Amino acid sequence: MHDDPKRVAIIDGGESAMLHEVLKHDMIKQCTMVEIDELMVMTSHKYLKEWSACSDIVGSVEWGVDDPRVDVCYKDVVA
């Protein structure tokens, strides 16, 4: 593991649980999440809020996808 990570890429993070874990770290300045299925992200946000909610992280937004450090790309990483 890197001693002082600043940028993180999450591949196939549709339910946003990994994003939640990444955003717990203040040292992270940029996080790009690539997901093929936008519907998966939106459905998870609606039905699995406890997985992706960031309201428990001091200084964060309610939903990690809305965090200014996050860029979400909806595309196939294999194509």
Side-chain angles (χ1 to χ4, degrees):
M1 186 165 139
H2 194 285
D3 291 339
D4 190 26
K6 301 283 187 223
R7 296 177 295 149
V8 174
I10 300 171
I11 309 300
D12 191 27
E15 79 292 330
S16 303
M18 180 61 68
L19 180 61
H20 174 262
E21 294 302 315
V22 167
L23 294 176
K24 288 181 177 179
H25 302 280
D26 292 337
M27 67 189 76
I28 301 302
K29 303 298 181 204
Q30 177 187 7
C31 181
T32 301
M33 184 173 85
V34 182
E35 170 58 48
I36 193 171
D37 188 356
E38 184 174 2
L39 182 59
M40 172 65 178
V41 175
M42 298 306 166
T43 302
S44 295
H45 176 57
K46 183 174 181 179
Y47 295 106
L48 301 171
K49 284 188 182 278
E50 66 277 2
W51 290 18
S52 62
C54 290
S55 56
D56 63 327
I57 302 171
V58 175
S60 189
V61 295
E62 184 176 326
W63 185 34
V65 171
D66 292 333
D67 189 294
R69 299 174 290 170
V70 175
D71 180 30
V72 180
C73 302
Y74 298 105
K75 60 181 165 182
D76 186 349
V77 296
V78 178

